[in-house]
Amino acid sequence: MKNVHLVDHPLLKHSLTILRDKNTGTEKFRHHAGIVSQIMILEAIKDVPLLEDKIETPVAASDGFYIKESIVFVPVLRAGISMLSPARNFLPWASVGFIGLERDEETAIAREYYRKFPQGLKDKRVLVLDPMLATGGSLVDTIIALEKKGAENICAVCIVAAPEGIELLQKKFPNLHIYLAAVDSFLNEKKYIVPGLGDFGDRFFGT
Ligand code: PRP
Ligand code: URA
């Protein structure tokens, strides 16, 4: 699958299994969602350009490297909030935009209820954070909204995806890079990912 990065790490598999387990309670779910998110974010920023600089260690002169690119995180409310804190632990200077989308329980079509993006998106790398990629509707809406605000360098960082969602994103945005921990089997009649992990937002927030 072009531009789909399926991340592989033993710790990711371990924590994702705990997220999938229906017996995992809120506290444990939050803990392992943090671990999975950290691994995913690390992978998604693997190719950010570095600026070389000379520094002095307490012992001697040394070459140094700094991340020069401006990064913006855009968590898709609500479930995307779970990935924001891990992301900002790595890149505390990154700015943050928000979009609130909620799927209708009958139609699975997302309704937007909130949007606030930083200025100057054109020159920034935007990481959209949403753990679940099901039909792809929420991410399509998010990316269209970001592109309207001028964003040109966008990638999606998710955790579990259904093939249907990946296909839709690839059709709409052929150059979009998508980072995933797992590609599951299919969507059920309620458009939930199978086997998936249920409703991520509800499990993370203890709703
Ligand atoms: C979930 C999830 C994604 C969306 C994925 O959000 O967090 O945003 O569904 O589904 P899609 O690919 O079919 O659009 P939900 O609408 O349940 O809202 P929540 O985050 O508030 O729980
Ligand atoms: N949103 C979720 O939280 N889980 C799914 O399986 C699909 C959408």
Side-chain angles (χ1 to χ4, degrees):
M1 282 180 286
K2 189 179 157 249
N3 295 340
V4 173
H5 306 264
L6 193 56
V7 181
D8 188 22
H9 193 287
L11 185 54
L12 185 64
K13 285 201 165 83
H14 172 90
S15 288
L16 181 56
T17 302
I18 292 165
L19 293 182
R20 287 188 190 277
D21 188 338
K22 68 175 185 184
N23 295 313
T24 299
T26 307
E27 186 178 354
K28 209 167 167 192
F29 191 92
R30 285 184 182 154
H31 177 72
H32 288 279
I35 293 172
V36 167
S37 300
Q38 281 184 324
I39 296 170
M40 297 307 298
I41 302 260
L42 275 186
E43 199 62 29
I45 59 170
K46 218 170 166 178
D47 65 338
V48 292
L50 292 171
L51 191 66
E52 269 192 73
D53 203 0
K54 299 279 179 216
I55 57 152
E56 295 282 333
T57 77
V59 180
S62 170
D63 292 333
F65 303 92
Y66 295 104
I67 292 177
K68 68 170 185 188
E69 202 169 34
S70 295
I71 292 179
V72 180
F73 295 118
V74 177
V76 180
L77 307 178
R78 247 178 347 161
I81 286 283
S82 63
M83 304 176 79
L84 181 60
S85 177
R88 292 193 65 201
N89 284 345
F90 286 135
L91 303 169
W93 63 86
S95 44
V96 181
F98 294 95
I99 187 161
L101 291 165
E102 185 177 26
R103 293 198 322 173
D104 182 282
E105 285 190 8
E106 297 298 319
T107 63
I109 294 169
R111 173 189 67 87
E112 184 176 328
Y113 57 87
Y114 187 77
R115 185 192 297 192
K116 188 145 286 196
F117 296 146
Q119 297 295 320
L121 289 181
K122 188 175 183 305
D123 306 313
K124 294 182 173 150
R125 173 185 290 231
V126 180
L127 276 73
V128 177
L129 311 176
D130 193 341
M132 304 305 275
L133 168 55
T135 65
S138 303
L139 278 188
V140 168
D141 291 355
T142 302
I143 292 163
I144 289 174
L146 286 163
E147 286 184 341
K148 272 194 196 143
K149 272 287 258 181
E152 292 175 356
N153 182 358
I154 306 172
C155 72
V157 189
C158 305
I159 296 177
V160 180
E164 292 90 331
I166 300 172
E167 203 179 306
L168 180 70
L169 282 187
Q170 289 190 316
K171 199 170 123 207
K172 297 262 184 196
F173 315 105
N175 297 322
L176 178 79
H177 286 256
I178 311 168
Y179 294 84
L180 300 170
V183 179
D184 279 9
S185 301
F186 59 92
L187 294 174
N188 68 14
E189 65 289 350
K190 290 187 152 179
K191 307 292 183 201
Y192 271 78
I193 301 171
V194 181
L197 49 75
D199 189 307
F200 194 103
D202 282 356
R203 296 191 67 192
F204 185 85
F205 290 106
T207 311

